């Protein structure tokens, strides 16, 4: 019996050495979780046996249990490198239609030829579908979908409004509005331009011409042109009128007739009123161009109109309104709300797992939210190769959720979770296991010597 006891000790020491060697071998494996050999003594007895004198029957390996403690983070320059701090696993599937889930803490992800996010095995990372407001439309594991980075362009947006703020020089000489000619700078006092966009994302130059009224102090005409084509401003009722009959117009004597608006300032230079081409102030204190169809020749929306907001506050002067002071013409703000076609410039993954694509036109779109999965008993998971695990009866059912909610951890982009192996501890454990192996081997040797002595008795 002592032979078997010593043999069980040798086997246990060998198992301990194997576990330690495996931990050391994977010290640089991303997402690896160290294992610990757990042993129990063997004690067999019967009903009539004398338990006071019974000797144990050796040792038995009860479990090789993985330890799911947090590994340290290694930061990288790749946005698709993901690390979890806290509780949770990434979920993956081998192909788009499969529901054969695997779970991992190794976040070394990359793009395949179809722009799916995959790991080194080619398994697809899973995420929750999201709404336009970045909320998850579902957080069930059954509704997860492979994370795919779009290769399409950012959608354009046509310009609907231009916000403009400037100072008009109070000392400028008034000019005859009927003599306006956009090709002759002497017929207008100032001009400025802004790039606007049509429904297809094509850019156009919108120019604003300012003419100080020679017949009225502190009043200025403003007219517009798109791509050097004069564009009428509509009346307060939204209708267009003929420049020759409009109350406010420019260029009627030069063949450059265009309806205009009038900006009215106080004697102190404050902006106090705005008149449409029909001489009536609009209720929202804004202007609007006619439909730009004649200026658009690329098939874009011909009904596009562009509003002009001078930020008039009739109750009091504000810092966002135009002014008429004794200084040079100066544009202090000129903004429009259109967007050109954008190309994908980057991917951002937030702590909550939200994947957002950013485009060159300044827009961003939520794509998907990386799913996390947790288990009631992580040590009950069935270990697979490549630092992956499968659900088992002992682990309990996989529970999916969003990062940073409940007991789920946080997702760190451009970071990897290193193995949680403490190399110093493993080296010490290896020395202890070696000592145990040698001691049990010595016990075998002693048992063998005793047997030989007995066999040599005459």
């Amino acid at each position: 019996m002592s032979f078997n006891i010593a043999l069980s000790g040798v086997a246990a020491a060998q198992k301990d050495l194997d576990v330690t060697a495996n931990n050391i071998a994977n010290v640089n494996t991303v997402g690896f979780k160290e294992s610990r050999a757990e042993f129990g003594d063997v004690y067999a007895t019967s009903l009539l046996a004398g338990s006071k004198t019974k000797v144990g029957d050796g040792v038995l390996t009860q479990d090789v249990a993985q330890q799911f403690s947090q590994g340290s983070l290694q930061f990288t320059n790749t946005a698709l490198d993901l690390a979890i701090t806290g509780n949770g696993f990434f979920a993956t599937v081998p192909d788009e239609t499969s529901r054969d889930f695997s779970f991992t803490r190794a976040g070394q992800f990359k793009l395949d030829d179809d722009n799916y996010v995959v790991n080194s095995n080619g398994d697809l990372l899973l995420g929750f579908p999201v709404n336009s407001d970045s909320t998850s439309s579902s957080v069930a594991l059954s509704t997860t979908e492979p994370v795919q980075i779009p290769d399409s362009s950012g959608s354009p947006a046509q310009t609907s409004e231009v916000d403009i703020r400037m100072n008009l020089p109070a000392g400028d000489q008034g000019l005859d509005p009927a003599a306006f000619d956009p090709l002759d700078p002497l017929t207008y006092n100032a001009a400025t331009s802004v790039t606007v966009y049509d429904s297809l994302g094509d850019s156009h130059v919108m120019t604003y011409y300012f003419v100080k009224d020679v017949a009225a102090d502190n009043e200025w005409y403003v007219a517009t042109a798109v791509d050097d084509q004069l564009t009428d401003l509509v009346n307060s009722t939204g209708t267009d009128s003929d420049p020759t009959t409009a109350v406010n117009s420019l260029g009627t004597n030069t063949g450059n007739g265009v309806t205009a608006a009038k900006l009215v300032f106080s004697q102190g230079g404050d902006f106090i009123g705005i008149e449409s081409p029909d001489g009536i102030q609009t209720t929202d204190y804004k202007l609007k161009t006619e439909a730009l169809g004649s200026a658009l020749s690329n098939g874009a929306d011909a009904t596009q109109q562009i509003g002009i907001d001078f930020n008039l506050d009739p109750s009091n002067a504000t810092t966002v309104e135009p002014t008429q002071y004794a200084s040079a013409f100066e544009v202090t703000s000129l903004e429009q709300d259109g967007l050109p076609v954008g190309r994908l410039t980057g991917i951002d993954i937030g702590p909550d797992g939200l994947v957002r694509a950013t485009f060159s036109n300044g827009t961003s779109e939520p794509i998907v939210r990386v799913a996390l999965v947790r288990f009631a008993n992580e040590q009950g998971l069935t270990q697979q190769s490549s630092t992956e695990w499968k659900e088992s009866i002992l682990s309990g059912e996989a529970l999916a959720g969003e990062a940073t909610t409940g007991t789920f951890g946080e997702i760190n982009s451009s970071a990897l979770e290193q193995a949680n192996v403490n190399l110093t501890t493993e080296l010490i454990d290896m020395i202890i296991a070696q000592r145990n192996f040698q001691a049990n081997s010595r016990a075998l040797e002693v048992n063998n010597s005793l047997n030989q002595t007995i066999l040599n008795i005459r």
Side-chain angles (χ1 to χ4, degrees):
M1 181 62 70
S2 58
F3 267 110
N4 292 332
I5 294 174
L7 281 173
S8 70
V10 170
Q14 182 62 60
K15 178 67 71 174
D16 199 6
L17 281 170
D18 291 343
V19 171
T20 302
N22 185 62
N23 289 341
I24 294 174
N26 286 283
V27 70
N28 287 325
T29 301
V30 172
F32 177 79
K33 298 302 177 184
E34 66 173 342
S35 297
R36 181 180 68 193
E38 299 177 352
F39 304 101
D41 64 333
V42 179
Y43 188 85
T45 185
S46 63
L47 182 63
L48 301 177
S51 60
K52 292 185 178 180
T53 59
K54 175 69 170 121
V55 178
D57 296 314
V59 64
L60 181 68
T61 302
Q62 292 183 318
D63 192 14
V64 177
Q66 289 199 288
Q67 309 302 303
F68 287 90
S69 59
Q70 178 70 47
S72 58
L73 298 188
Q74 175 186 359
F75 295 96
T76 70
N77 295 321
T78 305
L80 291 180
D81 284 340
L82 304 178
I84 302 171
T85 52
N87 195 21
F89 295 83
F90 298 115
T92 63
V93 290
D95 57 66
E96 301 167 41
T97 59
S98 174
R99 294 282 91 181
D100 182 19
F101 300 110
S102 295
F103 309 98
T104 183
R105 298 271 296 194
Q108 294 170 307
F109 296 108
K110 56 186 71 67
L111 295 179
D112 65 5
D113 54 355
D114 292 320
N115 273 13
Y116 284 105
V117 178
V118 299
N119 60 15
S120 300
N121 293 333
D123 295 336
L124 304 172
L125 177 66
L126 295 178
F128 301 123
V130 294
N131 303 314
S132 58
D133 61 355
S134 301
T135 59
S136 300
S137 59
S138 172
V139 290
L141 185 59
S142 59
T143 62
T144 54
E145 57 188 24
V147 176
Q148 186 178 29
I149 305 302
D151 55 3
S152 59
S153 301
S155 301
Q158 69 181 29
T159 301
S160 62
E161 185 172 282
V162 175
D163 183 282
I164 183 171
R165 186 166 67 252
M166 72 287 176
N167 178 70
L168 296 173
D172 269 18
Q173 181 180 359
L175 301 174
D176 180 7
F180 168 73
D181 183 352
L183 300 179
D184 184 0
L186 298 179
T187 63
Y188 54 89
N189 297 85
T192 188
S193 299
V194 63
T195 300
V196 296
Y197 300 94
D198 60 29
S199 60
L200 300 179
D202 200 3
S203 62
H204 305 271
V205 176
M206 187 173 187
T207 306
Y208 298 86
Y209 297 96
F210 300 94
V211 178
K212 189 174 184 180
D213 190 359
V214 69
D217 293 334
N218 305 319
E219 295 185 6
W220 292 73
Y221 292 100
V222 58
T224 62
V226 175
D227 291 342
D228 296 327
Q229 180 175 327
L230 291 172
T231 304
D232 285 341
L233 297 175
V234 297
N235 296 320
S236 59
T237 58
T239 59
D240 195 8
S241 59
D242 191 288
T244 59
T245 60
V247 175
N248 297 313
S249 62
L250 295 175
T252 54
N253 290 344
T254 61
N256 297 293
V258 60
T259 59
K262 181 172 281 190
L263 310 180
V264 182
F265 296 86
S266 70
Q267 292 180 341
D270 294 329
F271 188 36
I272 60 173
I274 182 170
E275 295 179 2
S276 297
D278 56 6
I280 301 174
Q281 185 164 270
T282 59
T283 55
D284 59 358
Y285 309 111
K286 296 180 181 180
L287 301 175
K288 184 172 285 187
T289 68
E290 64 178 346
L292 302 181
S294 60
L296 306 178
S297 58
N298 59 351
D301 180 12
T303 65
Q304 179 182 357
Q305 293 178 278
I306 297 179
I308 306 170
D309 188 1
F310 288 98
N311 302 293
L312 172 61
D313 184 351
S315 60
N316 61 287
T318 67
T319 58
V320 298
E321 294 177 341
T323 57
Q324 182 195 241
Y325 294 146
S327 61
F329 174 73
E330 179 185 8
V331 177
T332 56
S333 176
L334 187 57
E335 300 176 353
Q336 58 85 40
D337 58 1
L339 293 171
V341 177
R343 58 181 178 82
L344 183 66
T345 57
I347 293 295
D348 177 68
I349 303 176
D352 60 352
L354 180 65
V355 181
R356 184 178 290 275
T358 56
F359 300 93
S360 59
N361 61 4
T363 61
S364 64
E365 296 179 6
I367 302 172
V368 70
R369 176 173 275 108
V370 176
L372 290 187
V373 177
R374 64 180 177 87
F375 298 88
N377 176 26
E378 294 174 337
Q379 290 189 334
L381 290 168
T382 301
Q383 187 176 3
Q384 307 292 312
S385 60
S386 301
T387 58
E388 292 184 343
W389 292 269
K390 293 282 190 181
E391 178 185 319
S392 72
I393 296 177
L394 295 178
S395 68
E397 187 177 353
L399 301 174
E402 298 179 3
T404 70
T405 64
T407 59
F408 287 100
E410 179 179 293
I411 294 177
N412 299 268
S413 179
S414 300
L416 295 171
E417 182 185 6
Q418 296 179 301
N420 63 347
V421 176
N422 187 316
L423 193 56
T424 301
T425 302
E426 297 302 323
L427 292 174
I428 294 173
D429 289 345
M430 184 172 62
I431 293 172
I432 295 173
Q434 180 186 21
R435 182 196 63 192
N436 293 340
F437 188 94
Q438 291 173 335
N440 282 283
S441 298
R442 179 60 179 163
L444 280 175
E445 183 179 346
V446 170
N447 280 317
N448 183 59
S449 297
L450 291 175
N451 285 338
Q452 289 297 325
T453 300
I454 294 172
L455 290 174
N456 290 333
I457 295 176
R458 301 296 183 185

